[in-house]
Amino acid sequence: MTTTPPKPHARLEKWIWILIYGGLFLLILGIATGRANEALGWSMATPGVLLAVAGVVLIYVRSRLKP
């Protein structure tokens, strides 16, 4: 009984989508929170944007990796 090895870049792909969706979720929470408390909203939205951008950068990195 042999099992097939996992995709070579599966872990990278998982982190890409975690970063993008998690970052966008944090951004939306920051915008919603910013209506009540501006400082807290900015402190939530800024890391969210950075996480989403990191995910997009990892998409570029993945496109440059050899199969």
Side-chain angles (χ1 to χ4, degrees):
M1 174 184 229
T2 59
T3 59
T4 58
K7 287 173 62 175
H9 304 298
R11 182 180 295 156
L12 181 61
E13 289 178 20
K14 179 179 76 170
W15 277 106
I16 286 170
W17 295 113
I18 288 172
L19 287 172
I20 289 174
Y21 285 123
L24 291 177
F25 181 70
L26 196 57
L27 171 65
I28 291 169
L29 281 178
I31 290 171
T33 304
R35 294 179 182 176
N37 186 343
E38 188 174 348
L40 181 60
W42 276 106
S43 66
M44 291 173 70
T46 304
V49 169
L50 294 175
L51 288 175
V53 168
V56 171
V57 168
L58 284 179
I59 289 176
Y60 175 78
V61 169
R62 184 189 64 190
S63 73
R64 295 297 173 191
L65 292 176
K66 297 186 190 227

